[in-house]
Amino acid sequence: MAAYHRTGRVTAALTACLASVALAGCASGDATAPPATTPAPAGTGAKTDGGTVLAGQPDVNGDGKVVIGVLSPGDINDKGYYQSFVDTAERFATSKGWTIIKRGGVNTSEALNAARALCRQKVDMVALGAADLRDAIPASEEPVCAGTAWYVPSSDNIPQTSKIMLSTDEPDQSLLAAGYAAGLLMKEKGASKAGFVTGPEVDFTSAAARAFRAGIRLVVPEATLTVTYSGDLNDSAKAKEATQAQISQGVKVVYPYLGGATDASAELANANGVLTLTPGTDRCASTGPTFDVSVLFSPGDYFRAALEDFAAAKLRMGVEKVWKLGVDPFPTVRICEPTPEQEERLKTFIADVGSGKIDPKAEVKRLGS
């Protein structure tokens, strides 16, 4: 997987645990954004109803080149959470002929000076790889960073300013859709028992389980969901023990909502003919382990979509971008090998969430307990 919801609403401890997660690749797509505004005169921004599009995007400093600076609190070669964010930027930058300046292992105490250093190198954007580096944000108000766009994963204690874009999502949406996709597969098999294996019993894990249960019940009303809190997102032994216990109880689908222990749980599910889902990335092409549903809410995917807006002169500062299922390319959910009917029903469900026809919060309240 790549990360847990929300985008950047990740505690320092949780972010650290995600660093060990191996990714099988992130999908990408075209971002849905408000219409582009007419470029403002040099040195100013074009005001929109929600924020400001910096003049000259993506070359906001007007030096004839586009440079993206990325700061990460972790190892940017970890093959996991931190690397996925940087790799996304590099792939997109390469396709556009842009330059990436990246720095990993940035301590929170160094964040402010690290951001200033990037601005001195004439970057057009400063992107924070995680909300842990929030102490860098004051640099966005300083002359050294004038005319620089800022991409910041959202967190409850990061105030919105006119100089930054905050990025977040609504977990109920993708987890409800994940449950709906699992329900479609369960209905085909005549199954009514599902399992959810995760780490500590905290707000985000219990909320995810409730939304997943509600989504299943939209398709299989009598379905039950067994939730096991192993206490550790990365402990493979605990994940396998929890998964085996659920399989012994007759579950036909297991959602390993885990970090580094994801594959251990999925491999056991594979060996017992139990369906499984991904917690964050597109792994439909994975062969070891295999997955039946990809639930996509990777921070790298969100960043890619933001960079696409930046390239199209649509990225707005002074707003919190809430990535919405059925509106934006991410988050989304994909059944890896769907029947035509399953594919159409999931597509319609996602579109109905995007249009407001389906209210995820209301469905979770109604069916999630």
Side-chain angles (χ1 to χ4, degrees):
M1 73 176 265
Y4 285 100
H5 298 86
R6 289 184 164 192
T7 311
R9 292 180 189 246
V10 183
T11 64
L14 178 57
T15 300
C17 84
L18 294 173
S20 66
V21 182
L23 299 179
C26 296
S28 62
D30 295 327
T32 300
T37 56
T38 302
T44 67
K47 269 295 193 184
T48 72
D49 289 338
T52 301
V53 176
L54 296 180
Q57 272 194 34
D59 180 16
V60 296
N61 60 25
D63 63 357
K65 57 186 178 181
V66 179
V67 183
I68 308 296
V70 179
L71 298 178
S72 173
D75 179 4
I76 56 177
N77 297 303
D78 70 345
K79 301 186 185 298
Y81 176 90
Y82 299 114
Q83 184 173 343
S84 73
F85 192 84
V86 174
D87 284 354
T88 295
E90 288 192 310
R91 284 193 296 269
F92 189 81
T94 298
S95 73
K96 294 293 184 180
W98 298 353
T99 299
I100 292 289
I101 299 175
K102 56 188 178 181
R103 179 179 170 186
V106 179
N107 293 326
T108 55
S109 61
E110 301 172 338
L112 181 58
N113 284 332
R116 290 168 176 159
L118 282 181
C119 291
R120 292 188 187 101
Q121 295 179 73
K122 305 298 182 183
V123 298
D124 295 285
M125 175 190 285
V126 172
L128 304 184
D132 303 53
L133 299 182
R134 65 181 67 86
D135 289 348
I137 295 173
S140 67
E141 304 281 351
E142 298 177 354
V144 67
C145 291
T148 301
W150 282 65
Y151 177 92
V152 180
S154 185
S155 181
D156 289 331
N157 59 354
I158 295 181
Q160 180 72 67
T161 78
S162 64
K163 303 295 185 180
I164 66 175
M165 170 203 173
L166 289 174
S167 176
T168 189
D169 67 2
E170 293 291 344
D172 280 351
Q173 296 181 359
S174 53
L175 268 294
L176 186 75
Y180 188 85
L184 292 174
L185 297 180
M186 290 170 65
K187 183 176 181 180
E188 181 185 29
K189 292 181 175 296
S192 61
K193 293 183 178 180
F196 188 92
V197 177
T198 189
E201 185 174 3
V202 291
D203 287 347
F204 83 90
T205 54
S206 57
R210 287 194 298 272
F212 185 60
R213 180 187 289 114
I216 294 173
R217 287 177 173 170
L218 285 171
V219 185
V220 185
E222 72 278 11
T224 60
L225 180 70
T226 300
V227 181
T228 303
Y229 298 98
S230 71
D232 193 314
L233 293 162
N234 295 310
D235 190 315
S236 294
K238 290 181 178 179
K240 289 172 69 175
E241 181 180 359
T243 303
Q244 183 58 64
Q246 293 192 355
I247 292 171
S248 298
Q249 295 175 47
V251 304
K252 299 303 180 184
V253 57
V254 169
Y255 193 171
Y257 196 69
L258 296 162
T262 297
D263 283 11
S265 175
E267 286 168 358
L268 188 55
N270 289 172
N272 287 272
V274 173
L275 303 172
T276 191
L277 305 84
T278 71
T281 58
D282 187 352
R283 298 189 65 180
C284 283
S286 174
T287 57
T290 61
F291 292 88
D292 301 280
V293 178
S294 283
V295 187
L296 287 78
F297 51 85
S298 160
D301 290 331
Y302 296 135
F303 188 33
R304 160 88 187 210
L307 289 174
E308 289 176 346
D309 277 1
F310 193 55
K314 297 179 181 179
L315 192 69
R316 297 170 292 159
M317 298 299 104
V319 299
E320 180 177 39
K321 169 63 177 179
V322 182
W323 302 98
K324 295 182 178 180
L325 186 81
V327 176
D328 297 308
F330 303 100
T332 193
V333 176
R334 296 171 182 156
I335 299 175
C336 295
E337 296 183 2
T339 65
E341 180 185 1
Q342 290 168 346
E343 185 172 33
E344 184 59 31
R345 288 188 64 181
L346 181 58
K347 179 180 178 181
T348 299
F349 179 84
I350 290 173
D352 285 347
V353 171
S355 70
K357 184 176 180 180
I358 294 175
D359 181 350
K361 291 186 183 301
E363 296 301 336
V364 172
K365 183 177 181 180
R366 182 171 70 94
L367 298 171
S369 298

